[in-house]
Each structure stands twice: as C-alpha cells, then as structure tokens.
C-alpha cells in the first residue's frame, strides 16, 4: 500500500515538475518545419510541446497552425532582438525546453516571454485572417460606415478580436489546466495576467490607416481601416513594460485570489503592465539552476554606462580588447546615369569581450 502511494506521489511530483519545467513548451513549434504543411489533423498528436487541450485545438483549427508556428518563431526572434544588449539575452538554452530554466521562477524575464509569446500568436493569426485565405476568419466586417471625422470605413480591417480570442484559447490552455487542478497558484495567475497583457497591448494600439481617393490624390474621399502595429513595435512596447514591471504577491479577496503589488507604496498594476513574483538572478555566472548562461565572452560597449557597457555586462570581471580590420565601402561617387562607384577602405575597429 505505502509503495503504491509513494509511486503515485512520485508520479505527481514528476508531473508537476514537468509542467513547471516545460514553461511555454508549445514554443518548440518554432523548431519544426512540418507545421506549416500540416494537412491532416492526426499529425497534431505528434507535435512537440503541446498539451492535450492544445492538440485538440490543433485538430479543430489545422489551417491556423502555420500561423501559430510563425508566432513562436517571431516571439523568440523579437525577444532576442529586444534583449541583445542585456546579460540575459533571451538565448534558447537547450533543445528540450526552449528557455531552459529561466522560466522556472516567476521572474521579470518570464513575464516578458509569456507576454511576447501570446502576442506572438495573436499577431500572425490576425494577419492570416486578413490574407483572405482562411476559411474560419476574414477581415473585421464590424468596422463600417462613416466616422465622425468624416471618412469612410472601408477595406480590410485587421480582425484582432479573432486573433486575441484564438491566442487566449491556445496559449492559456496549459495554465487553465493547471488552475483547474491546483487552484489559482500565484504562478498561474502571473502567467495568465502576462499572457493577457501581451494581447491587450496589440488591441490598445491598433492604428487607423487611410487612403485618399479623388483627382490627383485630392482626398475628396478618404477611406480608412484598422490595422495592427508591426510586431517590432509591439516588441518595443513590451520591453518598456518589462523595464517597469511590477513585483506582486498573491492575496485573497473574498473567495478569489488576486495579485497585488508587493509594496504598498506602488499603485496597482494595469491590465497591460507586466507582473512578476521573484527578483531575477544577476545572470553573471553560468548557473543551470536558474538557466543563466553567464556573460563570459559576451561583447560589451566600452563607453556605455548602461547594461551593455563593459562594467555592468562583465559584472566587474574586466574585459579583453581585440583589434580587427574591417573592409567597408567608401568614397562613393554617383555617376550619370545611373550607377554608384565605391572604393574599399580598411578601418581598424576595437572589440571588447567579457572575461
Ligand atoms: C547570448 O549569450 C550567450 C552567452 O551568454 C552567447 O553564447 C550567445 O551567442 C548570445 N546570443 C546572442 C544572439 O548574442
Ligand atoms: C556604445 O555606447 C555609446 C554610449 O551609449 C553609444 O553612443 C555607441 O553607439 C555604442 N557603440 C556601439 C558599437 O553600440
């Protein structure tokens, strides 16, 4: 009897660890080349990193899976761009868990990855709808009629409502399962909040794009439509939210659990703010436990006082400087008509890397 209990206990502990370790496992789709060409729903079963609910969604919306995969790739790519000059550079550490252990803790970094990933699904799914090739969605037809500003709503407005709804179902699936099983742990609440924040950022920053009609662009008639900001813009906005992220803790409010600022000095976070539970490690040294790779060998900027500067990036260990000769185009001349002729010039540059 006790043996069975022990076995069951070990099984549940392992499963719990697995669930936490796996973080945003569906991002593993980024590594596959086959998703874009999934034609049959039974192929959903063999996709890496999906929980049962996500496999179900995959089967029901096979045609969307190419967009979901694109979302995973764009999210990782954007994260690496936004964090290229920081100690944690959004490196995808090992093959099985895309961000390794960095997502274990409810850190600021984890909050960003969750937000950019859920935005990462909403964005290309919405794009796919606008492309007119999807059977289950198209442009937003509710944007119609004459606006108070005197233009006509026309053309294809991005269907962000569909994109965010799809992202909510697909991306939040793991957390919803955990919530049903474990109740609202602070980590589940944190993930759900940050997932939603990523989607909200797109919704709140929809653009109005217009076109003029009439003789020689006189704009007698102006037609406009709603469009999403570029994913790069969303990346910048979420990075700003990362910089101002709010440290929170769980509190009971009646029968519900909510996240509130850890310090009473701060005002409550808004629905687009990122929230985190634990302070980040300093990421200076390699540490498998936190998923930090360390900053040995990283490039740094000798003159910068910010986090990309050698002092902070190298954590005070110092750096080495190497001189390198680069060849670049120079003394370019425009010749009539029409070509540009350049010379090759050699220039010596200094590169600094952390010890
Ligand atoms: C990120 O940092 C790691 C080590 O800290 C390094 O190996 C890797 O090349 C870096 N990635 C980028 C894109 O700079
Ligand atoms: C290094 O930092 C300085 C000051 O912030 C900046 O002006 C310069 O462009 C940076 N250099 C590189 C190569 O990024």
């Amino acid at each position: 009897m006790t043996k069975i209990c022990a076995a069951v206990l070990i099984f549940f502990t392992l499963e719990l660890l697995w669930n936490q370790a796996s973080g945003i496992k569906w991002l593993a789709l980024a590594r596959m080349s086959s998703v874009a060409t999934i034609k049959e729903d039974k192929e959903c079963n063999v996709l890496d990193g999906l929980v049962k609910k996500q496999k179900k969604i995959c089967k029901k919306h096979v045609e969307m899976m190419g967009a979901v995969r694109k979302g995973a790739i764009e999210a990782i790519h954007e994260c690496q761009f936004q964090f290229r000059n920081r100690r944690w550079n959004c490196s995808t550490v090992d093959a099985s868990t895309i961000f390794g252990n960095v997502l274990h803790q409810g850190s600021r970094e984890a909050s960003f990855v969750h937000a950019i990933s859920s935005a990462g699904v909403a964005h290309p799914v919405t794009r796919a709808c606008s492309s007119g090739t999807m059977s289950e969605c198209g442009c937003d037809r509710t944007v119609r009629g004459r606006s108070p500003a005197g233009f006509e709503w026309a053309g294809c407005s991005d269907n962000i409502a569909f994109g965010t709804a799809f992202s909510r179902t697909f991306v939040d699936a793991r957390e919803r399962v955990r919530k049903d099983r474990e109740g609202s742990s602070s980590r589940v609440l944190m993930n759900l909040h940050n997932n939603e924040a990523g989607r909200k950022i797109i919704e709140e920053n929809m653009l109005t794009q217009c076109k003029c009609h009439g003789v020689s662009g006189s704009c007698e008639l102006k037609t406009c439509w709603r469009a999403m900001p570029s994913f790069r813009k969303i990346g910048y906005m979420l990075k700003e939210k990362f910089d101002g992220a709010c440290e929170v803790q769980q509190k009971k409010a009646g029968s519900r659990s909510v996240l509130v600022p850890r310090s009473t000095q701060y005002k409550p976070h808004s629905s687009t703010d990122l929230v985190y539970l634990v302070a980040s490690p300093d990421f200076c040294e390699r540490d498998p436990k936190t998923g930090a790779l360390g900053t040995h060998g990283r490039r740094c900027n000798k003159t910068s006082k910010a986090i990309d500067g050698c002092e902070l990036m190298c954590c005070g260990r110092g750096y080495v400087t190497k001189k390198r000769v680069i060849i670049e185009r120079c003394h370019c001349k425009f010749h009539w008509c029409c070509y540009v002729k350049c010379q090759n010039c050699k220039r010596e540059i200094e590169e600094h890397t952390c010890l």
Side-chain angles (χ1 to χ4, degrees):
M1 187 60 192
T2 47
K3 251 189 206 152
I4 293 173
C5 284
V8 168
L9 195 65
I10 286 172
F11 174 78
F12 275 115
T13 316
L14 278 179
E15 211 201 18
L16 205 65
L17 277 176
W18 171 250
N19 262 322
Q20 276 164 1
S22 45
I24 314 179
K25 281 216 92 192
W26 63 269
L27 284 176
L29 290 177
R31 280 196 304 262
M32 318 192 122
S33 53
S34 63
V35 184
T37 57
I38 284 189
K39 289 283 178 312
E40 284 191 61
D41 46 357
K42 59 174 180 291
E43 291 173 67
C44 292
N45 288 327
V46 299
L47 288 181
D48 231 5
L50 303 194
V51 294
K52 221 199 264 153
K53 175 96 185 292
Q54 287 168 330
K55 285 181 179 165
K56 238 187 206 162
I57 299 167
C58 172
K59 285 175 193 169
K60 210 171 145 200
H61 307 271
V62 166
E63 64 170 9
M64 279 298 168
M65 293 314 286
V68 174
R69 170 172 174 268
K70 193 154 172 254
I73 294 171
E74 282 184 5
I76 293 170
H77 184 247
E78 189 57 31
C79 180
Q80 291 183 336
F81 173 79
Q82 295 295 340
F83 285 79
R84 67 201 179 285
N85 292 327
R86 297 185 61 96
R87 288 182 189 158
W88 180 71
N89 63 3
C90 202
S91 39
T92 56
V93 194
D94 79 64
S96 61
T97 60
I98 280 241
F99 288 104
N101 285 350
V102 168
L103 300 185
H104 270 202
Q105 268 88 33
S107 65
R108 224 179 244 266
E109 284 73 21
S111 76
F112 181 86
V113 172
H114 275 268
I116 196 90
S117 312
S118 69
V121 167
H123 202 265
V125 164
T126 304
R127 269 278 136 74
C129 295
S130 297
S131 76
T133 58
M134 296 290 139
S135 62
E136 59 183 306
C137 64
C139 309
D140 186 350
R141 295 287 166 206
T142 62
V143 187
R144 276 284 162 268
R146 203 164 179 78
S147 86
F151 59 75
E152 202 73 39
W153 289 111
C156 178
S157 284
D158 280 333
N159 198 341
I160 189 62
F162 184 93
T164 49
F166 187 90
S167 167
R168 199 171 288 125
T169 322
F170 184 84
V171 177
D172 292 1
R174 178 183 297 276
E175 263 70 34
R176 301 226 174 273
V177 171
R178 277 178 71 183
K179 196 172 176 178
D180 289 345
R181 201 170 46 200
E182 305 159 29
S184 303
S185 70
S186 53
R187 187 57 204 276
V188 165
L189 291 176
M190 170 188 153
N191 291 351
L192 286 173
H193 174 90
N194 293 322
N195 289 353
E196 193 60 32
R199 294 182 285 258
K200 263 252 155 76
I201 283 274
I202 310 183
E203 283 179 322
E204 288 192 358
N205 290 281
M206 292 295 283
L207 310 165
T208 302
Q209 289 183 341
C210 299
K211 202 159 98 183
C212 281
H213 310 267
V215 267
S216 56
S218 64
C219 229
E220 272 160 62
L221 178 67
K222 198 159 113 176
T223 56
C224 304
W225 59 92
R226 306 286 281 159
M228 292 183 293
S230 70
F231 201 60
R232 176 58 30 97
K233 285 229 174 79
I234 291 158
Y236 276 114
M237 289 188 268
L238 285 175
K239 173 61 173 26
E240 237 168 69
K241 293 293 186 184
F242 167 90
D243 291 331
C246 182
E247 189 175 3
V248 293
Q249 61 189 0
Q250 194 174 7
K251 202 184 122 197
K252 278 258 175 282
S255 61
R256 290 196 327 134
S257 268
V258 291
L259 296 175
V260 296
R262 190 170 276 275
S263 161
T264 50
Q265 314 237 310
Y266 293 119
K267 64 179 198 296
H269 51 273
S270 77
S271 58
T272 55
D273 287 335
L274 298 187
V275 300
Y276 66 98
L277 298 164
V278 294
S280 303
D282 61 20
F283 295 111
C284 282
E285 297 296 332
R286 193 180 179 84
D287 182 359
K289 219 166 64 221
T290 61
L293 292 181
T295 64
H296 299 272
R298 284 287 300 277
R299 281 264 189 82
C300 61
N301 183 333
K302 194 178 158 181
T303 52
S304 170
K305 293 269 166 274
I307 191 71
D308 64 332
C310 293
E311 196 52 41
L312 286 176
M313 179 63 83
C314 309
C315 308
R317 295 182 306 257
Y319 55 90
V320 287
T321 302
K322 274 203 192 111
K323 288 199 164 78
R324 200 159 66 89
V325 175
I326 58 166
I327 296 172
E328 53 189 11
R329 280 150 60 93
C330 57
H331 306 306
C332 293
K333 274 210 188 83
F334 179 76
H335 290 265
W336 190 265
C337 180
C338 289
Y339 66 96
V340 177
K341 216 171 171 181
C342 297
Q343 288 172 354
N344 288 331
C345 296
K346 284 183 184 169
R347 193 161 64 91
E348 200 176 59
I349 57 162
E350 285 192 334
E351 276 178 357
H352 315 286
T353 49
C354 294
L355 284 171

